[in-house]
Amino acid sequence: MVEDKDIQKLKGFREFLPGEMRARRKVFDALRKVARKYGFREITTPSLEPMDLFLVKSGEELVEQTYSFEDKGGRDVTMIPEETPTRARMVKENKDLTKPIKWFSESKFWRYESTQKGRLREFYQFNYDIFGEESVEADAEILAVAAEILKELDLDDSADIRLNDRKMLEGILSTYGIENFKEVLQVIDDKEKMTDKEFLDKLVESGLKKEDAEIVDEITSLKGSFDEVIPELEDLVPDSEESQEAFRRLVDLRDRLESYGIIDNFVIDLSIIRGLAYYTGMVFEIFDTEGDLRALCGGGRYDDLIETLGGEETPAVGFAPGDAVLELLMKREGVWPDEKVETDVYVLNVSESVRRESLDIAERLRNKGLNVETDLSGRNFGNQMDYANKINASKLIIVGERDLEKEKVTVKDMDSGDEEKVSLSDIERFFQG
Ligand code: HAM
């Protein structure tokens, strides 16, 4: 028996009341609208997966943060901390899908992180990925979707898309003889959260000589618009085929982003590396321009993951915005939707004797797609009026015996207070006009 005590919800988990949910639904609908515009099709994935799926390539940090346990059948399972490995498994298993495969989803994820502003233990992401296409066009389309999301949410002046290429950075570092990429990249990934001194110390701890740590610091400080950074990269990128190819893609990408008219949203930033282990090329994150929030969004190209899981060679590129930081930024910028419930119509029955007519009117309007409430509790006129105000009804239909004798009702506009008589036979037309 559980003792009767004050049981609180868990830290890092949220619940949403109807007003909050209405605001969130507007934001989520905008993210859905962008997906549809670019031809991404919706999928749904399991919440629980075999733990091994995340051991393959998500990276140690993420795996340590999972909610993992042994289920009753003795299997090691994990509450999904991200969707990319699941999607890779789905692509591997469904060989006949028409390519390019373009998927989006709205899902919940779980990570046992230390909770802080914008970092929770349960959160939502919208994932957008393109599978089966290695061209720079696919990278550009993914980035266009990211830019369109910022525009759709009125955030294009408050956030930057910060872009890099892992292969190019590795190439540059290798010309300085820096080869222990895994450890070094991990430190670079945390650069944003550290002071300069901490960054240098961590690089030395990861095995670099002090001079090399300083070189890494200098290289990863390179940032600016495509046109500012590309000439500098020309001198830095080594001649190896792989590095040159990565650099050429970046130059091509610049042209495509210009064609999309979104080049101003981008900053090349050589410190963007991404914590997840599966990225193989272009990587990006979206940050607020004031720099006081965590990343809103992260993604990149991951051409090996499906093969690593035992599937056919399938290039892939994608990203995911998370709801928590989006909400913080939208609130800060004053563009978060109103957290108020909405109702189109409240049908007020003046007396019990007209309940049947009131229900009939409510049903007729519901059948026309309006959102309609009517009395459930036998409340008097004043209390029904209070309720209609509390649910922010736009219009009130007052159903009274005297009006009904003339086949009419009174319709009140709740904003202006104006009232008018409307014939019963005209009600649908009145509300649709
Ligand atoms: P990620 O960078 O781990 O990437 O997460 C993407 C976004 O999800 C983050 O930028 C952040 O907004 C949100 N997010 C992550 N962790 C938390 C948390 N603990 N609390 C609140 N929000 C969080 C991925 O997950 C990749 N699978 C994205 C991807 C899709 N790459 C290719 N396709």
Side-chain angles (χ1 to χ4, degrees):
M1 264 272 284
V2 180
E3 250 178 81
D4 181 17
K5 57 183 179 194
D6 187 17
I7 299 169
Q8 309 264 324
K9 83 176 152 52
L10 293 169
K11 198 163 104 183
F13 286 74
R14 294 165 298 171
E15 55 211 4
F16 303 103
L17 294 168
E20 295 165 319
M21 219 31 232
R22 176 212 174 231
R24 294 173 61 77
R25 185 44 57 205
K26 286 208 159 167
V27 172
F28 283 15
D29 284 351
L31 295 173
R32 231 163 234 283
K33 183 174 144 198
V34 175
R36 255 198 311 272
K37 262 166 90 169
Y38 284 82
F40 286 74
R41 300 197 165 78
E42 186 164 14
I43 59 158
T44 298
T45 60
S47 305
L48 204 60
E49 287 274 24
M51 192 193 289
D52 286 348
L53 185 63
F54 301 99
L55 295 176
V56 180
K57 272 261 170 160
S58 287
E60 281 155 31
E61 193 188 353
L62 191 74
V63 173
E64 275 166 26
Q65 286 170 345
T66 56
Y67 280 86
S68 295
F69 54 94
E70 192 183 295
D71 74 4
K72 289 183 179 164
R75 298 168 205 92
D76 288 327
V77 292
T78 295
M79 303 281 289
I80 54 166
E82 58 151 339
E83 197 160 290
T84 312
T86 298
R87 286 184 172 207
R89 178 180 58 64
M90 288 165 75
V91 170
K92 175 190 128 185
E93 287 165 6
N94 294 278
K95 293 201 172 54
D96 297 333
L97 297 169
T98 307
K99 298 209 170 81
I101 302 160
K102 293 165 70 169
W103 285 344
F104 88 95
S105 62
E106 170 195 319
S107 324
K108 258 188 197 183
F109 299 91
W110 297 269
R111 296 185 192 177
Y112 196 83
E113 294 207 47
S114 52
T115 54
Q116 47 182 298
K117 213 167 81 175
R119 282 295 176 270
L120 304 164
R121 291 185 175 165
E122 180 180 66
F123 57 97
Y124 288 80
Q125 279 180 356
F126 263 72
N127 276 258
Y128 305 78
D129 290 279
I130 303 178
F131 297 95
E133 186 50 67
E134 65 181 348
S135 68
V136 76
E137 317 300 337
D139 297 12
E141 189 170 279
I142 279 291
L143 293 167
V145 169
E148 181 77 13
I149 287 172
L150 294 180
K151 199 160 126 210
E152 193 64 38
L153 299 178
D154 265 337
L155 290 176
D156 46 349
D157 291 332
S158 350
D160 290 324
I161 307 176
R162 301 182 164 260
L163 191 100
N164 192 11
D165 189 293
R166 264 196 187 178
K167 277 204 185 111
M168 187 181 72
L169 182 72
E170 287 178 6
I172 295 173
L173 294 180
S174 68
T175 58
Y176 295 95
I178 299 166
E179 302 283 3
N180 51 336
F181 292 134
K182 200 166 156 245
E183 293 78 13
V184 174
L185 293 188
Q186 206 137 25
V187 181
I188 298 175
D189 185 46
D190 288 334
K191 186 175 184 187
E192 199 84 21
K193 300 175 219 154
M194 291 186 253
T195 63
D196 288 351
K197 176 157 186 332
E198 280 166 352
F199 181 58
L200 289 171
D201 290 349
K202 282 269 178 219
L203 286 172
V204 171
E205 261 172 52
S206 76
L208 291 192
K209 287 196 274 253
K210 187 147 184 292
E211 309 85 81
D212 289 343
E214 277 160 7
I215 289 169
V216 172
D217 187 24
E218 197 176 320
I219 290 166
T220 55
S221 300
L222 191 59
K223 40 176 91 70
S225 68
F226 272 84
D227 291 344
E228 283 162 356
V229 177
I230 282 176
E232 296 201 42
L233 287 173
E234 239 157 28
D235 297 334
L236 277 175
V237 177
D239 287 337
S240 76
E241 205 180 306
E242 215 178 46
S243 305
Q244 282 296 323
E245 150 91 20
F247 177 59
R248 261 198 312 277
R249 275 183 84 97
L250 203 65
V251 175
D252 287 347
L253 193 57
R254 182 212 163 278
D255 288 344
R256 304 301 186 279
L257 299 179
E258 189 158 59
S259 310
Y260 276 105
I262 53 175
I263 192 89
D264 292 343
N265 289 83
F266 289 86
V267 173
I268 299 203
D269 178 343
L270 269 65
S271 71
I272 297 296
I273 203 70
R274 307 279 297 128
L276 297 159
Y278 44 70
Y279 295 108
T280 52
M282 183 271 286
V283 280
F284 68 101
E285 287 190 307
I286 303 187
F287 284 98
D288 71 300
T289 43
E290 287 181 20
D292 56 25
L293 299 174
R294 304 283 299 264
L296 293 148
C297 217
R301 183 161 274 288
Y302 52 104
D303 288 343
D304 299 340
L305 184 58
I306 294 158
E307 226 184 327
T308 314
L309 291 174
E312 285 166 13
E313 199 183 316
T314 314
V317 59
F319 77 108
D323 68 324
V325 187
L326 260 187
E327 177 176 341
L328 289 172
L329 181 59
M330 288 181 78
K331 284 188 170 162
R332 191 183 86 193
E333 297 300 312
V335 292
W336 184 249
D338 266 352
E339 293 189 343
K340 274 196 327 200
V341 293
E342 275 176 319
T343 312
D344 295 328
V345 182
Y346 182 82
V347 183
L348 186 157
N349 61 319
V350 174
S351 59
E352 203 46 46
S353 58
V354 297
R355 180 175 288 278
R356 198 193 168 97
E357 287 79 1
S358 303
L359 284 180
D360 181 52
I361 293 168
E363 280 299 289
R364 278 167 59 194
L365 292 178
R366 286 171 180 149
N367 289 338
K368 290 291 168 198
L370 291 166
N371 144 327
V372 186
E373 277 205 62
T374 188
D375 176 61
L376 298 178
S377 328
R379 284 176 172 151
N380 66 22
F381 189 101
N383 289 342
Q384 286 188 62
M385 191 64 129
D386 276 355
Y387 181 74
N389 271 316
K390 287 198 175 121
I391 61 170
N392 299 311
S394 307
K395 294 263 197 303
L396 189 71
I397 301 181
I398 303 166
V399 185
E401 278 181 16
R402 238 174 298 145
D403 277 349
L404 281 182
E405 276 167 21
K406 292 183 220 129
E407 300 274 303
K408 287 190 191 283
V409 287
T410 301
V411 177
K412 177 172 176 165
D413 183 293
M414 297 293 272
D415 273 341
S416 64
D418 294 346
E419 287 187 9
E420 62 186 295
K421 303 280 181 202
V422 176
S423 292
L424 277 180
S425 57
D426 261 354
I427 285 193
E428 282 99 337
R429 220 170 318 142
F430 178 87
F431 279 92
Q432 291 197 313

